[in-house]
Amino acid sequence: MSTLGVEEEYLLLDPDTGENAPVAGDVLAALPGELREQSRPEFRRSMLEMVTPVCTSLAELRGHLSVMRRAAATAAARAGARLVPVGATPVAEPDRTPTDDPRFHAIARHYGPIAHDPALCGCHVHVGVPSRAEAIEAGNHLRPWLPVVQALAVNSPLCEGVDTGFASWRSVQLLRWPSLGPAPHHDSPAGYDRTVAALVASGAMLDESMVLWYARPSATFPTVEVRVADVCPAIGDTVLVAALVRALVETAREGHEAPVVPDELLRAAHWNAARTGMDGTLLDPRTGQARPAWQAVDDLLTHIGPALRRLGDRGTVETELARIRRDGTGAARQRRLLTGGIDAVLAELAVHSSPPSALNSRSGVSPSL
């Protein structure tokens, strides 16, 4: 059974204004020691990243995510902020100073104004693989299916307090960065390294660590890392994304030849997934045809069905998909709440990372996200 782990990035928001609060250092200091070791400073001081331990089951992953979110929410409250799992800055970020780290300052110098765009938060899934070659081959197999995963995980429709018209504004903002988007098809680790070296030599990338493709061999762990999803509003959404990614990697390891899909079709498929989420059609990059979004999900389940059964994950995936089909994606749920004002959206998002005592003290707030 493949191992898996998740990195989640959260925004720290002022509970009164909804603006980003640059208090990540205070939040990190307030975390319990063992959870502080699972946390990292992020590029922006209004962001917090937390990393699960290596897991073998979805139940184990769910438990770690719950503990992490509750601890981080408690620490954020002590720092006077609200921990919110949302993919893009929803109101404003007055202070865009990078975290005081030589690496982050180098990124800011190299990429200029785009490094000062409002903060964005993603959900990154790692699946263990035996070798770097298998990680690259798994990435080849994942390419046509990742727009479907992206569409299920959209959770950033807001910017400057209003609806952007996109289900994942985070995905649109990130297109300004080079080497971000669907990974090119690579035949070998050597071919992958040549592409990366050429991008660095071109000046588009600061260094090889700035490969930000949606699927890549991790530079740190023996895993394939998938970076296509917005940070999810509810833990169940995160568990679903992780389950789908792991089943895709397991399916890729069965030895079938990876389909070579034109890059321009993949980019179009991802752009459309960011625009409509599950509320329209998704482009099938294998055929070039648009299909109803839930038919694309059915195709994905057919493709990974044997792997889901082997892993024992089929029931969890079906339950979480039924919930999203009933209640909508994170973006759709935010839009329904927006009629009550943006503070209603942010308060509801915060429910999913709050400790039980905070949840119990809130009257009239139901965890519908």
Side-chain angles (χ1 to χ4, degrees):
M1 182 180 293
S2 297
T3 57
L4 76 166
V6 167
E7 303 170 11
E8 285 194 319
E9 298 166 340
Y10 313 115
L11 278 182
L12 300 165
L13 303 183
D14 184 298
D16 296 321
T17 67
E19 295 181 345
N20 294 19
V23 294
D26 295 334
V27 175
L28 284 166
L31 284 170
E34 68 277 9
L35 288 173
R36 196 178 309 127
E37 294 177 2
Q38 292 174 230
S39 307
R40 302 173 186 165
E42 254 298 339
F43 182 69
R44 205 60 62 73
R45 295 186 298 148
S46 59
M47 295 173 64
L48 179 70
E49 180 178 67
M50 299 197 74
V51 183
T52 70
V54 177
C55 302
T56 57
S57 72
L58 299 184
E60 182 184 7
L61 179 68
R62 191 186 297 269
H64 285 300
L65 289 167
S66 179
V67 170
M68 282 173 15
R69 285 193 179 202
R70 288 176 178 177
T74 299
R78 290 175 181 165
R82 175 187 275 169
L83 187 86
V84 179
V86 65
T89 295
V91 178
E93 186 177 20
D95 184 344
R96 301 185 189 181
T97 307
T99 299
D100 191 13
D101 178 272
R103 170 72 180 160
F104 293 146
H105 288 305
I107 291 171
R109 287 193 301 271
H110 187 83
Y111 292 99
I114 65 171
H116 295 280
D117 283 348
L120 307 170
C121 294
C123 169
H124 305 160
V125 178
H126 289 259
V127 178
V129 290
S131 68
R132 191 162 176 264
E134 286 203 33
I136 290 169
E137 186 58 23
N140 290 338
H141 280 267
L142 267 60
R143 294 172 83 241
W145 298 106
L146 288 183
V148 183
V149 177
Q150 178 185 15
L152 286 164
V154 290
N155 186 41
S156 53
L158 307 179
C159 179
E160 298 183 357
V162 299
D163 190 339
T164 64
F166 281 78
S168 175
W169 188 242
R170 166 185 167 271
S171 299
V172 177
Q173 282 188 257
L174 285 174
L175 292 177
R176 288 159 59 91
W177 291 79
S179 69
L180 194 144
H185 188 282
H186 293 105
D187 293 327
S188 66
Y192 180 97
D193 291 342
R194 283 194 296 271
T195 299
V196 172
L199 288 169
V200 174
S202 75
M205 281 170 44
L206 174 62
D207 55 39
E208 61 185 23
S209 73
M210 293 302 295
V211 172
L212 304 175
W213 292 319
Y214 291 148
R216 66 178 188 179
S218 171
T220 309
F221 308 110
T223 65
V224 57
E225 180 183 3
V226 173
R227 307 165 52 87
V228 73
D230 290 352
V231 67
C232 297
I235 290 172
D237 296 348
T238 307
V239 170
L240 173 64
V241 169
L244 295 175
V245 169
R246 178 163 71 163
L248 279 166
V249 173
E250 283 287 307
T251 302
R253 294 182 64 193
E254 292 175 355
H256 304 297
E257 185 175 351
V260 179
V261 179
D263 290 347
E264 60 271 19
L265 280 184
L266 275 179
R267 286 192 290 269
H270 281 291
W271 188 90
N272 192 54
R275 184 173 66 90
T276 66
M278 296 300 297
D279 293 331
T281 61
L282 294 175
L283 178 66
D284 185 337
R286 299 167 300 167
T287 65
Q289 301 297 313
R291 306 192 61 200
W294 284 102
Q295 285 187 17
V297 172
D298 291 341
D299 289 347
L300 173 60
L301 289 181
T302 298
H303 178 66
I304 64 176
L308 286 174
R309 286 189 288 272
R310 285 197 308 272
L311 293 162
D313 294 348
R314 180 90 191 197
T316 298
V317 166
E318 289 178 344
T319 297
E320 298 297 349
L321 284 173
R323 177 179 54 81
I324 291 177
R325 189 188 286 264
R326 180 187 70 240
D327 298 337
T329 61
R333 279 127 60 187
Q334 285 188 52
R335 284 170 168 153
R336 285 201 302 270
L337 288 165
L338 191 58
T339 58
I342 193 165
D343 190 61
V345 177
L346 301 181
E348 189 69 12
L349 282 164
V351 165
H352 294 279
S353 56
S354 297
S357 59
L359 289 178
N360 294 337
S361 68
R362 282 198 185 101
S363 60
V365 179
S366 61
S368 62
L369 273 167

